[in-house]
Amino acid sequence: MRRNQWLVAPLGAATAAALLSGCGSTDGSNAGSGKGVVMGISDKVKATDPASGYDPGSWLLFNNVFQSLLSFPKGGTTPEPDAAQSCGFEGGESKVYKCTLRGGLKFSNGDSLTSKDVKYSFERTLKINDDNGPAVMLASIASIDTPDDKTVLFHLKTPDATFPSKIASGAGSIVDHAEYPADKLRTDGKAVGSGVYKLDSINDKSASFSVNESYNGKAKPRNSGVTMKFFNEDQAALKKVLESGDVDFAFRGLAAKDIAGLASQSGDQKVEVVQGAGAEVEHLVFNMNDPVAGKLPVRKAIAYLVDREALVKQVYDGTATSLYSIVPAGIASHTTAFFDRYGGTPQPDKAKAVLHAAGIKDKVKITLYSTPSRYGPSTDQEFQLIAKQLNDSGLFEATVKSVEFDQYEKDIADGKYGVYVKGWVPDYPDADNFTQPFFGPDNILHNNYDNKEITGTIIPSTSTKSDRAAANAEYSRLQDIVADEIPLLPLWQSKQYAVTRPNVTGLQWSLDASTVFRFWEISKG
């Protein structure tokens, strides 16, 4: 998806088969208490309609304004009932998924939330199929039945054990059928949901949220409202207002050097740095049809030479961590396949040996393509360092070209680049979301890589296993194949940070591998 560790337990068979009922308040005690809080953020909220938004800022809004049938608990990656009282697969094929709604659900406008709204919401997203929306995540749905006001039956085209995680994400947001047109997006900038908060107003500079007194669920708001101030990638301005106290905390958008500097200021009571798990990853991608990068010995030599620890330290000031497989640490089924094969420090002798064994004796001329307009201003610096690492070995003549994002994406689709950067922010915290999109002839990387064992056997098999732990061996095999064939080279995974005034608490519960930012956990003294 969108682009940028608490211990993660694998999804057990009993949990996946029937997500048991959750308890929540139905007596209005979710009205919220405490002071309002003000947050600064660099991301834009590109959409207020869940049929359109597919970016970090929009999903932050969706996670707080709308309910889903399931949601991710703080510190965990196993979905639990939210608007639903219970959910589970029917039968043994992971093709029919049944949810029973909890009683007394209402939207913020007072309308009752029934199975009709659930069916309407999913069918609406699929029908609109907005280019910037999450319909692609719901493509496995064949039909939806609602035998009564509380029961929803999803009939899937193919087995999809990750369906619970998909509908626990922003893609599963439930809207009021009376408020949203069935065949087009809502364009008035308003949002009506049944989540913990109501959207009171939004414009280019800020958004204001108050607690939804009609909310019926497990969350207990620890504040009376939240104001988001948008800084549109202006890192300096965001840091300035944080230090001045004009915002209570900052999330996403501070420069790595600023976070590192603030974290090192012992005894400074102006701000505090809260660190949590991150699942955003970045890869060096190889075009398998390229006359240079398409050669496996060249890719292996690069794998032996790239020093991830230096990248993390010198470019990102320790605000990321080295990544040695396509499934990041903190996600079930993670391995260290690349570390096991190529080590954690540069090995120029092995790089030289693999090139010479292939008859490659001259320096390898190669261009690395970067796009800081999408992946941040440090991306060019990172790629310059990678090029230096390759060149210092005496085996490569590497250069870097920086391209604006629109042109960058077009050129990649046209196959013009041999080596380029791609980042990934997961839609849901499951190994499937770090693997399935990257393989096959139409993969999102556009790198012309298609391994038949992965696409024809492993991914279809893992999709049938509602006990996600049962898929570990197959995901391990997949990661081994990728490390052997190197269609991409994992570089780093993020750490998540919030920088806060010392009187703000609860932010640690919004910095986990689920990537859900929970307004309701934040309080201000």
Side-chain angles (χ1 to χ4, degrees), residues 324-404:
Y324 292 98
S325 194
I326 56 173
V327 177
I331 300 296
S333 302
H334 164 73
T335 70
T336 55
F338 278 83
F339 183 92
D340 298 341
R341 284 160 178 76
Y342 308 105
T345 56
Q347 301 185 66
D349 290 344
K350 290 185 178 181
K352 181 177 181 179
V354 76
L355 289 174
H356 283 193
I360 302 173
K361 302 293 180 65
D362 296 330
K363 287 186 178 181
V364 178
K365 294 182 179 181
I366 199 163
T367 301
L368 313 179
Y369 286 89
S370 170
T371 179
S373 55
R374 177 59 184 252
Y375 301 124
S378 296
T379 312
D380 282 352
Q381 182 185 352
E382 175 188 4
F383 268 47
Q384 292 289 352
L385 182 53
I386 292 175
K388 183 177 186 300
Q389 292 172 354
L390 299 180
N391 294 340
D392 284 350
S393 72
L395 301 171
F396 283 83
E397 187 177 316
T399 57
V400 176
K401 287 190 177 180
S402 182
V403 184
E404 287 300 311

Side-chain angles (χ1 to χ4, degrees), residues 506-521:
L507 283 163
Q508 70 271 24
W509 299 120
S510 290
L511 305 176
D512 59 36
S514 72
T515 69
V516 175
F517 197 89
R518 302 170 178 88
F519 281 172
W520 57 90
E521 296 289 348

Side-chain angles (χ1 to χ4, degrees), residues 176-239:
D176 184 347
H177 75 275
E179 288 274 354
Y180 289 79
D183 57 356
K184 61 183 179 180
L185 296 174
R186 184 169 185 165
T187 58
D188 61 1
K190 296 181 179 180
V192 177
S194 59
V196 190
Y197 290 83
K198 299 181 293 183
L199 175 64
D200 296 324
S201 65
I202 186 169
N203 54 46
D204 290 341
K205 294 183 178 180
S206 66
S208 178
F209 303 82
S210 59
V211 173
N212 175 17
E213 295 186 4
S214 298
Y215 167 71
N216 177 9
K218 293 182 288 184
K220 301 290 184 181
R222 291 171 169 79
N223 58 68
S224 57
V226 175
T227 298
M228 293 172 61
K229 292 187 176 181
F230 306 126
F231 288 85
N232 300 322
E233 301 182 2
D234 189 339
Q235 297 170 322
L238 181 54
K239 181 186 179 186

Side-chain angles (χ1 to χ4, degrees), residues 105 126 332 427 447 455:
L105 292 171
L126 286 166
D427 303 300
N447 67 337
T455 57

Side-chain angles (χ1 to χ4, degrees), residues 333 431 458 461-463 465 467-477:
S333 302
I458 295 177
S461 177
T462 58
S463 296
K465 293 179 168 59
D467 176 359
R468 300 308 285 155
N472 285 349
E474 289 165 299
Y475 279 124
S476 180
R477 169 61 182 157

